[in-house]
Amino acid sequence: MNTKLLISPQELTSLSAEKSLQSVIIDTRSPEDYAISHIPQSLNIRDFFTYLLENSSPAGLKELQEYFAEIMSKLGISGAERLIVYEDALNRGYGQSCRAAFLLKYLGCTQVSILHGGYRAWLTEGLPTTDEVPLRESSIFRLHPNADIMVTTAEMLQAIDNPAIIKLDVRDRNEWLGLSSSPYHPDFCPRKGRIPNAVWLEWHHLMNSESEIPTLRSPDEIREICQSVGITSESIVYIYCFKGSRAANTLIALEEAGISARNYFGSWNEWSRDFSLPIDNTCFRL
């Protein structure tokens, strides 16, 4: 049975109450926010958002795998549990809970869900919070990397001139236009621009971003928006952003709409730092 990817606060409450089910809740917010209040029994793993993949070579990916395997082991997570991740709100954390879900799946965890609406949705339902940090015994996290969902730089380079593969840029407008190299600072990366032959669909468009509790749009709405940039259920899609976070948010949206996609996790942070890789830095206005 497939694990439901997006779950509501009430569904999470029911899961937590099932004594026979081994489940772990992971909070991806800052340690400071976590210390103030969090969902009971949740563990704070901010690294799911902050970790930067230096390069998507076999050595770089092995380093990523070992880095998170150590964190998970220390926190007593084996990878066989039902894992539920959350952030504050889906439109504010640059897709951090979706990035966590993507990484967990890449590492080999098969039962992964995202709290749809995030901590804001939990609070709106009036559900309990705490500032207590749960204590867990360490264990051994079992790595089973799933390369099928990860796009490497070498694969993205091969795909540039292949019209059968849609290179989907989901960064913010200023990044797509080449006015900024990242969401953090315009000159955070050495080069500004786009991966050649990419199409643009800003990640916010696949969410009800202006709602009190932002959530992903309905599958029908997502499919209609995707069609505007030539993406259908038959498409091969490689998604990128700055560090694979907003791309993960988009990947989840596409998956909910029945569209398969892969995440170029190194994204612009990796691509722009390798001066041997081509970029499109043509200035234009939308």
Side-chain angles (χ1 to χ4, degrees), residues 171-183:
R171 296 175 299 164
D172 295 350
R173 175 183 288 263
N174 281 350
E175 295 166 82
W176 166 256
L177 291 175
L179 302 175
S180 178
S181 68
S182 82

Side-chain angles (χ1 to χ4, degrees), residues 129-140:
T129 64
T130 185
D131 60 0
E132 296 180 2
V133 177
L135 297 176
R136 295 173 58 91
E137 292 185 5
S138 62
S139 67
I140 298 176

Side-chain angles (χ1 to χ4, degrees), residues 74-220:
K74 286 181 178 178
L75 291 174
I77 302 172
S78 71
E81 304 89 349
R82 174 74 181 270
L83 302 173
I84 303 95
V85 294
Y86 74 92
E87 60 186 290
D88 180 53
L90 291 184
N91 69 331
R92 298 186 62 197
Y94 289 99
Q96 61 189 244
S97 61
C98 298
R99 191 181 201 255
F102 172 79
L103 279 171
L104 288 168
K105 288 190 168 191
Y106 170 71
L107 295 170
C109 304
T110 58
Q111 301 181 79
V112 181
S113 298
I114 298 162
L115 178 58
H116 203 195
Y119 195 52
R120 295 288 186 89
W122 182 269
L123 294 175
T124 298
E125 292 292 328
L127 294 168
T129 64
T130 185
D131 60 0
E132 296 180 2
V133 177
L135 297 176
R136 295 173 58 91
E137 292 185 5
S138 62
S139 67
I140 298 176
F141 180 79
R142 305 293 184 182
L143 277 167
H144 301 284
N146 180 10
D148 292 342
I149 63 175
M150 178 81 75
V151 175
T152 65
T153 295
E155 289 173 319
M156 183 61 91
L157 182 61
Q158 291 177 343
I160 282 180
D161 294 319
N162 184 350
I165 299 176
I166 296 175
K167 283 70 65 176
L168 182 61
D169 185 323
V170 299
R171 296 175 299 164
D172 295 350
R173 175 183 288 263
N174 281 350
E175 295 166 82
W176 166 256
L177 291 175
L179 302 175
S180 178
S181 68
S182 82
Y184 304 113
H185 186 276
D187 299 313
F188 187 90
C189 294
R191 296 192 291 171
K192 303 180 182 74
R194 303 160 291 281
I195 292 177
N197 299 322
V199 298
W200 182 57
L201 177 58
E202 192 172 14
W203 69 297
H204 273 286
H205 291 316
L206 299 182
M207 291 183 288
N208 297 305
S209 296
E210 303 306 317
S211 300
E212 182 180 354
I213 305 296
T215 56
L216 295 179
R217 294 186 182 276
S218 71
D220 284 342

